[in-house]
Amino acid sequence: MKSYLEFIASWQESAELWSMFFLLLAFLVFVFYFTGFIVSKDRSKLYDYVSTHEIPAFMNLLVMISLSVTFFANSLLIGEFKTANNFELVIQSIGSLVIGGIFYYILRVLLKIYYPYFLAKHLKRIRFKPMKSSSGNQMKLLNEDEEDLHLTKEQLEHEEIFAFDYDVWLDETTGEKIVEKYDIHHTSLLCDECRFRTLREVKEVVDKMPTQTEGGELTKYYKCDYCGHKEQKKKHLSSLNENQVV
């Protein structure tokens, strides 16, 4: 009996160590992501970094913390209910898995369904933060009609098919202009069915290739990560002559 109790004590100690190990991994995941956040000083690069890495980083963080919670719960159950047989040990281990699983499931739902709304607000703050020119003057963000005069035909085509989005900032005193390019493929859209910001582009298909004289047609396919709603949008592609930069 004594050797078995020693085994239980060793098990409890190991569970505590594994709990601390996965908690340390969670901390390293956070540090790794936050380091990339700090070094991405250019706002367009920071926008792309956050939109592509934040939710996957938080998902990895969630996995590590859930495993830590599972092992910690296991050590608590073993310490609270001293067991004298393998059956009770198995029940306690299953109980800790249930606790960790519930913890993971609840936070995963919050992260997958509700967090994209807050992520969109975060990205908006990054993208539209006031900008100053090299002369120190406050720059003006041009609206859609105004910015079209400063974009190339290729850039206008990108915006037309939602491949990229562009912002044009102008120093009205010196005339300095800054054009920023944003990849919006990783940004979730608002689903018309469930009203969550969980609608993502899954693929795009060129239905008709543009020629020198005629435009083409592109279809983008979207699917909601929450309710499974699917939709598609058709976009016009300008002719190759129109896409040539003058």
Side-chain angles (χ1 to χ4, degrees):
M1 178 63 68
K2 184 178 180 180
S3 61
Y4 188 81
L5 292 178
E6 290 176 349
F7 166 74
I8 294 300
S10 176
W11 181 305
Q12 182 182 7
E13 183 180 353
S14 297
E16 292 175 351
L17 291 175
W18 278 107
S19 176
M20 290 187 288
F21 171 74
F22 284 112
L23 195 60
L24 176 61
L25 284 183
F27 175 73
L28 293 177
V29 168
F30 174 78
V31 169
F32 182 79
Y33 169 76
F34 193 67
T35 300
F37 183 88
I38 293 177
V39 300
S40 302
K41 294 185 177 181
D42 180 82
R43 74 171 65 200
S44 60
K45 292 182 179 179
L46 179 58
Y47 181 97
D48 291 340
Y49 179 80
V50 171
S51 64
T52 56
H53 291 86
E54 184 154 299
I55 288 184
F58 284 4
M59 191 65 73
N60 291 332
L61 189 67
L62 173 58
V63 171
M64 296 299 105
I65 294 178
S66 298
L67 288 172
S68 178
V69 168
T70 300
F71 281 104
F72 184 70
N74 188 244
S75 68
L76 287 181
L77 288 174
I78 293 176
E80 183 69 22
F81 305 101
K82 294 296 184 181
T83 181
N85 58 68
N86 290 332
F87 177 75
E88 293 180 3
L89 183 61
V90 170
I91 295 300
Q92 292 166 356
S93 298
I94 293 176
S96 62
L97 287 173
V98 171
I99 293 173
I102 293 175
F103 179 86
Y104 172 79
Y105 176 78
I106 292 175
L107 292 188
R108 184 178 184 275
V109 170
L110 293 175
L111 182 61
K112 186 176 181 180
I113 305 304
Y114 295 100
Y115 187 73
Y117 167 77
F118 298 99
L119 178 60
K121 295 181 68 174
H122 184 197
L123 292 173
K124 185 176 181 180
R125 287 195 298 269
I126 293 174
R127 181 172 175 179
F128 300 117
K129 180 181 178 181
M131 180 185 296
K132 290 187 177 181
S133 67
S134 57
S135 302
N137 300 321
Q138 195 71 36
M139 303 188 77
K140 175 186 177 182
L141 175 63
L142 304 185
N143 60 37
E144 292 293 331
D145 294 330
E146 293 172 333
E147 73 178 17
D148 287 351
L149 300 175
H150 300 271
L151 298 178
T152 66
K153 292 181 179 179
E154 182 182 15
Q155 290 170 333
L156 291 173
E157 171 71 11
H158 287 165
E159 289 203 326
E160 183 181 354
I161 63 174
F162 295 102
F164 298 100
D165 203 7
Y166 293 89
D167 289 340
V168 179
W169 296 81
L170 184 65
D171 183 341
E172 296 180 299
T173 303
T174 64
E176 180 181 349
K177 178 179 68 175
I178 297 177
V179 179
E180 294 184 318
K181 177 181 179 181
Y182 293 94
D183 185 350
I184 57 177
H185 282 94
H186 304 286
T187 305
S188 297
L189 304 176
L190 190 65
C191 177
D192 293 332
E193 291 292 323
C194 64
R195 306 307 297 173
F196 287 120
R197 189 172 288 275
T198 48
L199 188 69
R200 290 183 175 274
E201 179 185 330
V202 291
K203 69 174 181 178
E204 62 180 29
V205 177
V206 178
D207 302 309
K208 179 182 177 183
M209 292 294 295
T211 65
Q212 293 291 334
T213 56
E214 294 184 355
E217 192 174 74
L218 174 75
T219 302
K220 288 181 173 287
Y221 295 84
Y222 300 85
K223 182 179 179 181
C224 177
D225 289 337
Y226 177 67
C227 67
H229 169 69
K230 297 179 181 179
E231 63 179 69
Q232 59 189 58
K233 298 178 181 179
K234 292 188 177 294
K235 305 296 178 183
H236 173 74
L237 299 176
S238 301
S239 67
L240 299 181
N241 279 336
E242 293 178 6
N243 289 332
Q244 292 176 359
V245 180
V246 179

